[in-house]
């Protein structure tokens, strides 16, 4: 193949100017390379090609961080004419990283590579932790050489950087250039030659030897935009590198480095909107993986909610704080990541769960679990402040971390090594905090602290610990403690609600609670009854509690993670994992029990009313239900059992009954249950079996408030218990409803509404 006359030694060039389609042309060989992208062969959503974005010139290709990559087979004419050894190699490329990899197994996130480090062959240009980057080569003599970016020359997120790597074997050097200027070099023996990685494909955006997570996810994949990738078989000079950089600046408006608009590089929820299993009126990240929502706070007319988030893909890995904002607790907007691991001594390895509170001036602050694997223990309590007062940032997008931990665990302070999830609230004379931990040799515990200035904290001992011998399912460690005031009961006693999530050996990972009294002087909690209670009787689909007292309405509102129920393979294919549960209002009932109800604001999502009936037999009701179908519905239903001992409603039914999910009450056993035996026929899905738990109704009729949102099923029964479960029907016609009972029953009332998306 002939080379471009004005670019001597140019072996390969991807301009990424296609702007659409599923391939990118290498312009020297004229070969079109397929772009691997998960939704090109989507099973659950509409098939779409890879995402193209504005580049530095023309378009650029957006790499999603876990599935997008290009494999290029290197032909003879793209290699040196000698016996597989190159005397020189230069790479120039524009990159705008969106996220950084954690650095698992010490491997680089590849920008472009064709290497085999074990055999000390080929080359690798890529990024590492916190934006550091490196160029690495294997030499003919069997050596592996590296040159690294120095401190202060990391590749910034969401910004364009021009990266050049030059191997000059004759001179004996490796060099790095950033934005046209040399920043690092390493000496090699003069006359060095680069050893070809024979039989290895050139990969863009994926490491030739990436680590595999859960047998499915390739780590060390690039997240962000790449443009104008050029590879030469000669060593570019410093002047040539500077000239290439200046050429782009000269063509850009104002002659400055092109800027990346956030909307161009952010995670995009659009490809997932038509996913037939992804909930549309439950809060979720735009894409990829989330765990518990946490740190709810109301400020300046808006509600803020944060969440545990891996922006690299739909798998548990490198934890950041995602961020949503809402005016009504129902319709949410995606905001940029609020807190990310950084190159510091505070939290370089993860930003784990926490809470929000107000400082002495009434401004919001975030308390989080700082992950630092070089410290012992590797968890501490840390603080971040909003920049609201400096730049009047109404969405609270920018946060600045306090440089050192606020609370570090010492021996004798809970179970050493488990110390996380601070829950902080302001009181008249300062602040109180709970931290999840356990008791050495015992069970889980919520540890209590107090502070007068929010920076210096005094340990007060365990707020509460349960008897693990009596209740072994409460586990050795508690996470995510939450304490909310429920007000006064009929006797004038002030009651509090304590929520915890047990983990560790033998733990039942659900949300357990006690109602009791708080001794503020000693910071201790006395439960009204020793045995813990469940809010939700599903199985691991209602976890990760957080809570707030809403200053706007005075309500206590709790948020949870609605865990999915899928294999890693299906989460890879779908591009998302998990979502939030509906916000719940919790309150003290007249009978002293805990009342739970979805917040009233959810009524704003109601669309057309599909059915409204009263006093109908089972047969009459089902006859009227035949025309009602949907996978985004709200159902209110009251059933009088009559002669039926088991009764309820089937949802997500196919016309032939081959797929269905039964939600029902067992009168004899006092159990609220979900039967998923026939939920799906998909061989890869694992939602199966019967889930449920106790619900004492006394003489009441069964009153169900049901929310169907694609794979989400939430059942609220008589304001006392919920049952959250997941369903992934394989058939698109699994949309029907049917009242069910093992005897005669009366449908006292039933109302059904279509529900609208919140996005």
């Amino acid at each position: 193949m002939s080379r471009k006359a004005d670019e001597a030694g140019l072996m390969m060039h991807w301009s990424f100017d296609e702007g659409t389609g599923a391939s990118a042309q290498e312009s020297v060989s004229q070969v079109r390379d397929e772009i691997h992208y998960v939704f090109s062969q989507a099973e659950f959503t509409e098939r779409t090609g890879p995402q193209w974005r504005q580049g530095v010139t023309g378009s650029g290709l957006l790499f999603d961080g876990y599935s997008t990559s290009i494999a290029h087979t290197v032909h003879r004419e793209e290699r040196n004419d000698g016996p597989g050894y190159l005397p020189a190699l230069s790479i120039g490329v524009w990159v705008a990283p969106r996220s950084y990899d954690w650095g698992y197994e010490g491997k680089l996130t590849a920008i472009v590579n064709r290497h085999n480090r074990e055999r000390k062959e080929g080359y690798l240009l890529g990024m590492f932790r916190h934006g550091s980057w490196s160029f690495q080569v294997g030499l003919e003599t069997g050596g592996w050489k590296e040159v690294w970016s120095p401190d202060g020359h990391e590749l910034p997120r969401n910004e364009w950087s021009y990266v050049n790597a030059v191997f000059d074997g004759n001179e004996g050097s490796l060099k790095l250039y950033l934005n046209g200027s040399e920043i690092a070099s390493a000496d090699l023996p003069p006359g060095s030659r680069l050893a070809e990685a024979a039989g290895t494909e050139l990969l863009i955006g994926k490491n030739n030897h990436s680590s595999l997570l859960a047998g499915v996810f390739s780590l060390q994949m690039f997240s962000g935009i790449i443009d104008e990738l050029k590879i030469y078989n000669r060593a570019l000079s410093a002047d040539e590198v500077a000239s290439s950089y200046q050429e782009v600046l000269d063509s850009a408006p104002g002659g400055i480095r092109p800027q990346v608009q956030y909307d161009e590089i952010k995670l995009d929820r659009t490809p997932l909107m038509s996913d037939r299993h992804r909930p549309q009126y439950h809060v979720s990240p735009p894409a990829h993986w989330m765990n518990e929502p946490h740190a709810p706070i109301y400020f300046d007319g808006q509600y803020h909610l944060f969440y545990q988030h891996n922006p690299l893909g739909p798998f548990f890995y490198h934890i950041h704080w995602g961020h949503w904002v809402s005016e009504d607790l129902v319709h949410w907007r995606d905001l940029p990541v609020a807190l990310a691991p950084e190159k510091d001594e505070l939290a370089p390895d993860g930003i784990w769960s926490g809470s929000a509170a107000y400082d002495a001036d009434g401004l919001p602050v975030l308390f989080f679990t700082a992950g630092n694997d070089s410290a012992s223990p590797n968890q501490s309590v840390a603080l971040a402040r909003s920049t609201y007062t400096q730049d009047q940032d109404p969405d609270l997008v920018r946060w600045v971390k306090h440089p050192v931990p606020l609370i570090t665990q010492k021996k004798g302070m809970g179970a050493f090594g488990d110390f996380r999830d601070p829950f902080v609230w302001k009181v008249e004379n300062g602040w109180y905090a709970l931290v999840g931990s356990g008791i050495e040799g015992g069970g889980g515990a919520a540890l209590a602290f107090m502070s007068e200035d929010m920076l210096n904290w005094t340990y007060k001992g365990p707020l509460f610990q349960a008897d693990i011998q009596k209740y072994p399912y409460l586990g050795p460690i508690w996470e995510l403690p939450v304490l909310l005031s429920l007000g006064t009961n009929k006797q004038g006693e002030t009651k509090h609600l304590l929520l915890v999530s047990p983990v560790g050996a033998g733990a039942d990972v659900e949300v357990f609670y006690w109602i009791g009294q708080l001794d503020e002087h000693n910071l201790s909690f006395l439960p009204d009854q020793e045995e813990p209670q469940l809010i939700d009787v599903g199985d691991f689909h209602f976890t990760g509690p957080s809570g707030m007292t809403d200053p706007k309405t005075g309500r206590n509102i709790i948020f949870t993670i609605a865990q999915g129920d899928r294999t890693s393979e299906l989460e890879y294919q779908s591009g998302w994992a998990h979502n939030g549960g509906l916000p719940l209002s919790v309150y003290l009932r007249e009978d002293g029990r805990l009342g739970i109800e979805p917040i009233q604001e959810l009524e704003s999502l109601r669309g057309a009313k599909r059915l409204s009936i009263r006093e109908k037999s089972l047969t009459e009701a089902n006859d009227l239900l035949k025309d009602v179908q949907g996978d985004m519905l709200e159902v209110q239903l009251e059933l009088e059992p009559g002669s039926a001992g088991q009764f309820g409603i089937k949802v997500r039914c196919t016309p032939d009954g081959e797929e269905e999910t039964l939600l029902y009450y067992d009168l004899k056993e006092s159990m609220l249950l979900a039967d998923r035996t026939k939920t799906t026929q998909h061989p890869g899905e694992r939602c199966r079996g019967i889930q449920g738990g106790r619900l004492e109704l006394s003489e009441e009729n069964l009153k169900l408030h049901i929310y169907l949102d694609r794979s989400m099923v939430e059942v609220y029964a008589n304001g006392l218990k919920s049952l959250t479960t997941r369903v992934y029907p394989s058939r698109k016609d699994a949309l029907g409803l049917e009242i069910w009972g093992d005897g005669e029953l009366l449908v006292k009332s039933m109302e059904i509404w279509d529900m609208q998306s919140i996005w």
Side-chain angles (χ1 to χ4, degrees), residues 71 98 212 215 231 279 282 299 309 372 374 424 455 489 512 537 617 619 642 659:
R98 181 169 61 195
L212 201 61
I231 303 176
H282 285 73
F299 180 72
H309 181 42
N372 183 354
S374 65
V424 181
L455 298 179
N489 63 10
F512 288 94
V537 297
S617 69
T619 301
E659 287 189 349

Side-chain angles (χ1 to χ4, degrees), residues 594-663:
L594 186 69
I596 61 164
E597 292 287 355
I599 60 170
Q600 191 173 359
E601 289 91 332
L602 293 166
E603 294 179 6
S604 67
L605 297 176
R606 290 173 178 171
K609 195 165 194 176
R610 304 292 301 279
L611 188 69
S612 180
I613 58 175
R614 297 282 186 277
E615 307 290 338
K616 299 293 183 184
S617 69
L618 183 149
T619 301
E620 291 172 326
N622 282 334
D623 194 47
L624 293 167
L625 271 176
K626 287 178 181 176
D627 295 329
V628 181
Q629 296 195 334
D631 60 1
M632 290 173 59
L633 298 173
E634 178 189 356
V635 180
Q636 289 188 339
L637 172 66
E638 181 178 349
L639 297 176
E640 187 177 290
S643 64
Q646 295 181 334
F647 50 96
I649 182 172
K650 294 178 180 180
V651 300
R652 300 305 306 273
C653 308
T654 56
D656 57 9
E658 290 295 314
E659 287 189 349
E660 62 185 26
T661 297
L662 173 61
L663 311 173

Side-chain angles (χ1 to χ4, degrees), residues 540-541 562-566 571 576-579 686 726 728:
F540 194 59
H541 302 301
Q563 300 279 357
D565 193 9
R566 306 188 97 170
E571 286 174 341
W576 62 278
H578 318 310
N579 52 268
R686 61 186 186 190
R726 300 303 290 244
Y728 304 92

Side-chain angles (χ1 to χ4, degrees), residues 100-105 109 128-129 312 317-318 341 348-350 373:
Y100 304 142
D101 192 86
W102 181 71
Y104 183 67
E105 295 187 331
T109 293
F128 198 55
R129 290 164 58 89
L312 291 170
Y317 187 52
H318 196 31
D349 296 298
D373 291 342

